[in-house]
Amino acid sequence: LAKTTQPISMDSYEGQEVNITCSHNNIATNDYITWYQQFPSQGPRFIIQGYKTKVTNEVASLFIPADRKSSTLSLPRVSLSDTAVYYCLVHNTNAGKSTFGDGTTLTVKP
Amino acid sequence: GAGVSQTPSNKVTEKGKYVELRCDPISGHTALYWYRQSLGQGPEFLIYFQGTGAADDSGLPNDRFFAVRPEGSVSTLKIQRTERGDSAVYLCASSLRTSGSIYEQFFGPGTRLTVL
């Protein structure tokens, strides 16, 4: 499975756009990129998934360049409640195993 | 509808004891996963089931760990001769499928295991 690298932590302020980048240099052809959010004392929660280019849903956007060696999760206009740990995963479509890294702790300040 | 549930929410045991952790997945989800999460780290994959069978158990740390899913729904993670290093939050997740295009894993709240 491809290894992922993310910043350990990021700080932001309410109302700002936050971009968290993940590196996955060894991504394979059958791999998808998925992002999860985790609050303290809760299990991770799915945010968004993509294969290439751009994916957008009601909470976030995911940008994936043509070489797919990195991806960027974009959170528009964050609020205090977006303070959480964000995990980037690379998942093979033919295998159930998912490998989480240590995630990025995002702290949103007032 | 109901999400993934795990029982107990907390379990304190003594070194050397046997414990069972239960996971009730979302109804109809064929895939079920177990992870272990230590403080400050991401979830660590243990095992996943497709139906009743363990499709990948490569994450189980040693033979003290075993998991079953006899009827393709509820799963039990069993740990024998617990050690202090087994202390962690054990997370269960389920999904509709594991292969193909986009899917997501739905996680339960976890069971916090403390081995004294």
Side-chain angles (χ1 to χ4, degrees):
Chain A
L1 292 174
K3 177 180 168 59
T4 60
T5 303
Q6 307 173 232
I8 294 173
S9 63
M10 294 181 67
D11 290 342
S12 183
Y13 291 91
E14 283 189 290
Q16 290 189 333
E17 178 184 79
V18 170
N19 297 307
I20 306 175
T21 296
C22 177
S23 297
H24 27 78
N25 292 319
N26 296 323
I27 192 167
T29 303
N30 290 333
D31 288 342
Y32 278 77
I33 300 151
T34 307
W35 286 79
Y36 283 83
Q37 175 192 55
Q38 186 175 28
F39 297 111
S41 301
Q42 295 185 22
R45 184 177 70 173
F46 175 93
I47 301 174
I48 197 166
Q49 186 177 78
Y51 184 80
K52 62 180 179 181
T53 63
K54 178 183 176 182
V55 179
T56 298
N57 62 22
E58 63 276 9
V59 298
S61 295
L62 178 59
F63 299 91
I64 306 168
D67 66 6
R68 305 201 325 123
K69 293 183 183 299
S70 67
S71 59
T72 299
L73 174 72
S74 181
L75 304 172
R77 298 179 298 282
V78 294
S79 63
L80 297 177
S81 62
D82 292 317
T83 294
V85 179
Y86 292 82
Y87 294 99
C88 162
L89 320 190
V90 172
H91 178 273
N92 188 300
T93 58
N94 297 318
K97 181 176 182 178
S98 294
T99 300
F100 286 77
D102 289 336
T104 298
T105 299
L106 172 66
T107 303
V108 179
K109 303 176 182 178
Chain B
V4 177
S5 63
Q6 293 185 245
T7 54
S9 56
N10 282 284
K11 176 69 175 179
V12 180
T13 190
E14 295 179 341
K15 180 175 179 292
K17 298 290 187 182
Y18 168 83
V19 296
E20 290 189 351
L21 311 180
R22 176 186 169 109
C23 173
D24 282 84
I26 294 173
S27 177
H29 280 193
T30 58
L32 184 146
Y33 313 77
W34 283 99
Y35 295 84
R36 177 169 70 175
Q37 187 171 28
S38 300
L39 191 63
Q41 299 182 9
E44 173 193 9
F45 171 82
L46 297 177
I47 185 171
Y48 101 90
F49 291 87
Q50 183 62 41
T52 60
D56 185 341
D57 64 357
S58 62
L60 294 177
N62 51 59
D63 61 6
R64 294 187 297 105
F65 288 74
F66 189 71
V68 296
R69 195 187 185 199
E71 297 179 358
S73 179
V74 170
S75 176
T76 304
L77 178 66
K78 308 179 180 189
I79 310 174
Q80 299 178 323
R81 305 183 303 281
T82 53
E83 300 177 356
R84 293 193 179 88
D86 298 336
S87 296
V89 175
Y90 288 80
L91 294 165
C92 175
S94 69
S95 71
L96 275 174
R97 60 186 182 279
T98 59
S99 63
S101 59
I102 293 177
Y103 79 99
E104 65 180 277
Q105 294 182 37
F106 294 83
F107 282 81
T111 293
R112 181 175 298 278
L113 175 66
T114 302
V115 182
L116 302 177

